[in-house]
Amino acid sequence: MATLLHLDSSVFPGSASASRAVTEAFRRTWEEQHPGGTVIYRDLAVDPVPHITADAHTAAFSDPATHTPAQAEAFAERLKLIEELERADAVLIGAPMYNFTIPSTLKAWLDNVIVMGRTAGENASAKGTPVTVVASRGGSYAPGTPREGYEYVQNLLRAVLADGLGLEVDFIVPELTMAPHNPAMSELVPLFEASRTKALEEAAAKAKALAERLAA
């Protein structure tokens, strides 16, 4: 049965998080399609992975036989994350926009799993794995909007996941999530609600289609 690697990075729990609500909808449909499958779950906000250290970095580019104890220990932690990615048949990532970019906890995960010559490069070990990214944001950064030039979530993740790791990347973008909380955005609440509904529907549809594709 298929294995899904599910990462959440929102600092808000449960339904208080726009991205978590959508990843939950995706995962719920996925599990309905794969009742005997495996889900590897990491909540990067609750249980963050270590930031890259000099030992963790240099160990990836040297012979394991030459590793110092510190390098061996640091790379062992990276290896767990790398192998989870390599084992996954599909990946689901909750990536809310914080200060125009991804949460630092998600960046730390990326730094751990990117290893040139293994997960990245010509023969990337997870190449072709489908990845669904839920890129929620408080406003709108869509093409044609005033803040289009500040969109560094999709641009960054497309460069890293698709161009760097060779993954097949798809985005779901619930936007205007601050509208219900910011009086200055009150007139945008209907657009927020429409975006949320669309995102939830997309999550279920994409999860079902992906599950069917992998089972074929």
Side-chain angles (χ1 to χ4, degrees):
M1 296 297 291
T3 295
L4 174 70
L5 173 60
H6 175 187
L7 309 172
D8 276 323
S9 60
S10 171
V11 297
F12 296 102
S15 60
S17 164
S19 64
R20 288 180 189 271
V22 179
T23 60
E24 174 57 28
F26 183 106
R27 177 172 169 173
R28 184 168 56 248
T29 301
W30 172 276
E31 290 178 324
E32 289 170 356
Q33 299 295 313
H34 289 291
T38 300
V39 175
I40 303 170
Y41 181 61
R42 284 191 175 271
D43 189 329
L44 300 175
V46 174
D47 187 18
V49 302
H51 284 284
I52 286 291
T53 63
D55 286 325
H57 176 72
T58 56
F61 301 99
S62 57
D63 185 342
T66 68
H67 285 177
T68 66
Q71 285 179 312
E73 181 180 2
F75 193 67
E77 293 302 311
R78 290 188 70 181
L79 200 55
K80 292 178 186 177
L81 303 174
I82 291 166
E83 291 176 344
E84 287 177 355
L85 174 61
E86 293 173 336
R87 194 160 68 244
D89 296 292
V91 181
L92 172 65
I93 301 176
M97 177 185 282
Y98 292 157
N99 299 316
F100 304 119
T101 189
I102 62 175
S104 63
T105 51
L106 179 54
K107 178 61 163 61
W109 180 83
L110 290 169
D111 287 341
N112 273 278
V113 300
I114 297 171
V115 177
M116 188 58 62
R118 179 164 178 167
T119 58
E122 185 176 355
N123 297 307
S125 56
K127 185 176 181 178
T129 302
V131 181
T132 303
V133 178
V134 178
S136 59
R137 62 278 313 273
S140 179
Y141 299 80
T145 62
R147 291 203 164 190
E148 176 183 357
Y150 292 93
E151 205 302 299
Y152 300 115
V153 172
Q154 289 173 268
N155 289 339
L156 169 63
L157 291 179
R158 189 176 289 110
V160 173
L161 298 175
D163 300 341
L165 301 182
L167 308 181
E168 179 188 308
V169 183
D170 192 19
F171 289 95
I172 299 174
V173 186
E175 60 180 11
L176 301 169
T177 63
M178 285 300 297
H181 313 288
N182 184 349
M185 297 176 66
S186 60
E187 64 181 21
L188 300 175
V189 169
L191 293 178
F192 152 72
E193 292 174 342
S195 178
R196 178 183 60 187
T197 298
K198 180 183 177 183
L200 292 170
E201 291 173 348
E202 280 187 31
K206 289 178 185 294
K208 184 176 181 180
L210 186 54
E212 291 174 347
R213 169 183 151 192
L214 293 175

